[in-house]
């Protein structure tokens, strides 16, 4: 396996390379044993409320190690997990872990979890979430599920039904990576998202007048439809200033904080008086 630049990440396979299918199969096998072998974990990235500067929520992001400890990026293993069905078990594990390791305490009010359309389409998914909530004693209003504009985007009545069941549990539904495909607009028509996360590619472009105008148009579209707006990928103070100027509700990105394990999140809160201490268990 070839190592890719500096980050202790493996380049497992290139889907366009016919020789790579073996490595994709290796990854599929690894995913089957990952939970039992303690190879998966969650890290949490802060989401800040722009107006108050408070920690509004954290997003749970999955991490996978190979047996030698090398990290595999989610952009590689999530598509394989979706193709092989492992995403169902991994997804349940993630929700249970979020409830047990984070929401059981009161230092974070809201956690957003990425949920694949494959999970939403699977009969009994909402019921399995209800079971996890019951077993961990966590109320649904402390969870948000992020749905991405992905490949599995054809509108499915099962998905819409599942989403309304999740809402009945009090779980917020967010649209992730908005603006990266055409499907997002169809989703917006059909689902009343609490929050829309605008993909970080729009921030990259907004150094140019054209890119800035584009971002403003997207913000207006989302806002006029009554959704709260989160911009992803805020990396600099200049971008942060722009977010204040645009009246963005929530921000996430390396400027706000990098993803960290649950233990670091608690430690950070104890050390940094702002913005973490203003958090009360609301
Ligand atoms: P996402 O849900 O859009 O998550 C945001 C990604 O952007 C994360 O990458 C995060 O580390 C990265 N990021 C955050 N702030 C910045 C920034 O300021 N600059 C840059 N360059 N990047 C930033 P990560 O953790 O590699 O996750 C990639 C994608 O994998 C996620 O995108 C999500 O679609 C998927 N994913 C991760 N965990 C899960 C999971 O538990 N379940 C599912 N179904 N998908 C997941
Ligand atoms: Mg996400
Ligand atoms: Mg995103
Ligand atoms: Mg994204």
């Amino acid at each position: 396996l070839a190592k890719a630049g500096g980050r202790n990440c493996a380049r497992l396979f290139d889907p366009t390379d016919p020789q790579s299918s073996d490595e994709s199969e290796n990854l599929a096998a690894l995913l089957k044993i990952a939970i039992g072998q303690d190879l998966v974990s969650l890290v949490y990235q802060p989401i800040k409320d722009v107006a108050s500067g408070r920690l509004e929520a954290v997003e749970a992001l999955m991490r996978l190690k190979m047996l030698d400890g090398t990290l595999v990026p989610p952009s590689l293993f999530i598509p394989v997990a979706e193709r092989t069905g492992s995403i169902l078990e991994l997804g349940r594990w993630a929700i249970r872990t979020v409830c047990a390791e984070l929401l059981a305490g009161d230092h974070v009010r809201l956690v957003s979890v990425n949920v694949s359309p494959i999970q939403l389409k699977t009969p009994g998914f909402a019921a399995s979430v209800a079971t996890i909530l019951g077993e961990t004693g966590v109320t649904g209003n402390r969870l948000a599920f992020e749905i991405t504009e992905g490949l599995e985007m054809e509108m499915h009545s099962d998905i819409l039904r599942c989403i309304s069941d999740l809402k009945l549990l009090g779980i917020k539904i967010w649209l992730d990576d908005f603006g990266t495909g055409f499907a997002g607009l169809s989703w917006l028509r059909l689902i009343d998202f609490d929050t829309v996360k605008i993909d970080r590619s729009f921030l990259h472009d907004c150094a140019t007048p054209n890119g800035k105008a584009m971002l403003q148009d997207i913000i207006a579209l989302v806002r006029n439809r009554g959704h709260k707006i989160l911009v992803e990928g805020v990396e600099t103070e200049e971008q942060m200033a722009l977010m204040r100027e645009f009246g963005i509700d929530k921000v996430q990105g390396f400027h706000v904080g990098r993803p960290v394990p649950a233990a670091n999140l608690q430690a950070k809160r104890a050390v940094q008086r702002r913005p973490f201490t203003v958090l009360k268990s609301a």
Side-chain angles (χ1 to χ4, degrees), residues 176-177 199-200 232:
D176 203 356
D177 302 328
D199 190 71
R200 69 167 186 269
E232 306 184 300

Side-chain angles (χ1 to χ4, degrees), residues 45 59 61-63 74 114 176-177 200 232-233 235 253-254:
Q45 186 176 29
E59 177 178 10
L61 295 161
M62 203 178 284
R63 295 291 175 261
N114 294 283
D176 203 356
D177 302 328
R200 69 167 186 269
E232 306 184 300
E235 293 183 355
F254 296 161

Side-chain angles (χ1 to χ4, degrees), residues 227-247:
H227 311 287
K228 280 173 263 174
I229 302 176
L230 185 158
V231 174
E232 306 184 300
V234 176
E235 293 183 355
T236 65
E237 181 49 41
E238 290 71 40
Q239 291 172 338
M240 192 61 216
L242 200 61
M243 297 301 100
R244 287 190 206 98
E245 180 191 326
F246 287 173

